[in-house]
Amino acid sequence: MSGLDQTDLAILRILAADATRSAAEIGRSVGIGQSAAWRRIRKLRESGILAGRRVVVDNAALGFGVTVFLGVRLAAKGRTSLDEFERAVTAIPEVQTVQHVLGQFDYRLRIIARDISDFERILRRRIMTLPGVGQVEANVMLSEERLPGPLGALG
Amino acid sequence: MSGLDQTDLAILRILAADATRSAAEIGRSVGIGQSAAWRRIRKLRESGILAGRRVVVDNAALGFGVTVFLGVRLAAKGRTSLDEFERAVTAIPEVQTVQHVLGQFDYRLRIIARDISDFERILRRRIMTLPGVGQVEANVMLSEERLPGPLGALG
DNA sequence: GTTGAAACTCACGGTCC
DNA sequence: GGACCGTGAGTTTCAAC
């Protein structure tokens, strides 16, 4: 029970699609005034539902054209080995995301490389030398599509 | 060969962490004026490196506390079966990201659910009934950490 | 809950060094 | 490249309904 009405959901959908829209414009789209729209946006921010704004950086435009997803299974699991692995993996600059997961693997990593041979270097020198690394599985990304997600499932 | 200097990289790092910072504020942080900082930001936008602004929506605050990563292998692969699968999977509201990948799986999905039993419903009713689905592997996310990525690897 | 209007800040452009 | 200075637009707050 988040206490959100249809207007709040409509505002969230608009902002999720394009964060540059102004409060006045959003208000017009959902049928309320600029001030009312702004207050709702502030409330969404204060409630933690809107958890910040980020720019989208095009890694390919920066010369990093290869994205690889890596499933990592640790050889030995323990409290210390998880901490140790996380500390070491977050220090690798090519690692963009670290996800601690449950299932066949213990961690999922999103890795950015300039090209495939650059990725091989990262895998051999950086990843395979991490403390406690066991089985590793790689998937090279061809394309990615983001969808509205839960905002589409609500209302 | 992007023609970026240290100041551009510093601006990118600041914006990647928090897109609400103003040009004047950023300029102060990197040692240039408001107008110069703004001109650099516009250039980064025009060159495609800054590819948009997004709000971060906290799914847990919306009542969707479970995130699952799903590797999907298609039973039969062909141009039509890829198109057909993508069309069907993007229509599922709980699917937040669709990644076409190369490797053990053909697709990686990021799925948002209210809880584990909600995820089971999505898996049985929505995912397993998709056209051409073969092997499926799930990983439940415990925690996620985003890192600077390539911005940390440059300069 | 709403509107309307202040005051302030910012984005954006022009101009000159 | 850089700083400096306008202008119009957007944000944020406040008073009133």
Side-chain angles (χ1 to χ4, degrees), chain A residues 9-63:
Chain A
L9 285 175
I11 290 173
L12 277 176
R13 287 199 191 93
I14 292 170
L15 279 176
D18 178 11
T20 66
R21 303 278 296 273
S22 72
E25 214 177 338
I26 292 171
R28 233 174 293 124
S29 297
V30 302
I32 60 177
Q34 170 268 137
S35 195
W38 184 84
R39 220 161 341 96
R40 281 173 183 266
I41 294 169
R42 183 180 58 179
K43 202 161 192 175
L44 289 169
R45 222 184 310 124
E46 286 169 351
S47 74
I49 292 172
L50 284 179
R53 303 172 105 95
R54 294 232 183 93
V55 292
V56 181
V57 176
D58 185 340
N59 293 314
L62 282 173

Side-chain angles (χ1 to χ4, degrees), chain A residues 8-9 24-25 40 42 47 58 64 71 74 76 83 86 99 106 109 121 133:
Chain A
D8 288 319
L9 285 175
E25 214 177 338
R40 281 173 183 266
R42 183 180 58 179
S47 74
D58 185 340
F64 291 81
L74 297 188
D83 290 346
E86 288 185 17
Q99 291 153 342
D106 297 306
L109 311 178
R121 176 189 60 82
V133 163

Side-chain angles (χ1 to χ4, degrees), chain B residues 134-150:
Chain B
Q135 183 195 353
V136 168
E137 182 220 73
N139 286 105
V140 178
M141 189 174 81
L142 297 175
S143 68
E144 180 174 34
E145 189 174 1
R146 283 165 206 276
L147 304 166

Side-chain angles (χ1 to χ4, degrees), chain B residues 105-120:
Chain B
F105 295 99
D106 297 306
Y107 288 93
R108 300 216 66 95
L109 311 178
R110 184 186 180 115
I111 296 177
I112 308 292
R114 295 181 183 279
D115 47 49
I116 288 291
S117 74
D118 186 36
F119 173 72
E120 194 198 0

Side-chain angles (χ1 to χ4, degrees), chain B residues 20-72:
Chain B
T20 66
R21 303 278 296 274
S22 71
E25 216 177 337
I26 291 170
R28 233 172 293 126
S29 297
V30 302
I32 59 178
Q34 171 265 139
S35 198
W38 182 82
R39 224 177 281 273
R40 281 173 180 268
I41 294 169
R42 182 180 59 178
K43 202 162 193 176
L44 290 169
R45 222 185 310 123
E46 286 168 352
S47 74
I49 293 174
L50 284 179
R53 303 172 109 88
R54 293 231 183 95
V55 293
V56 182
V57 176
D58 184 340
N59 293 314
L62 282 173
F64 291 81
V66 172
T67 300
V68 181
F69 300 102
L70 220 59
V72 176

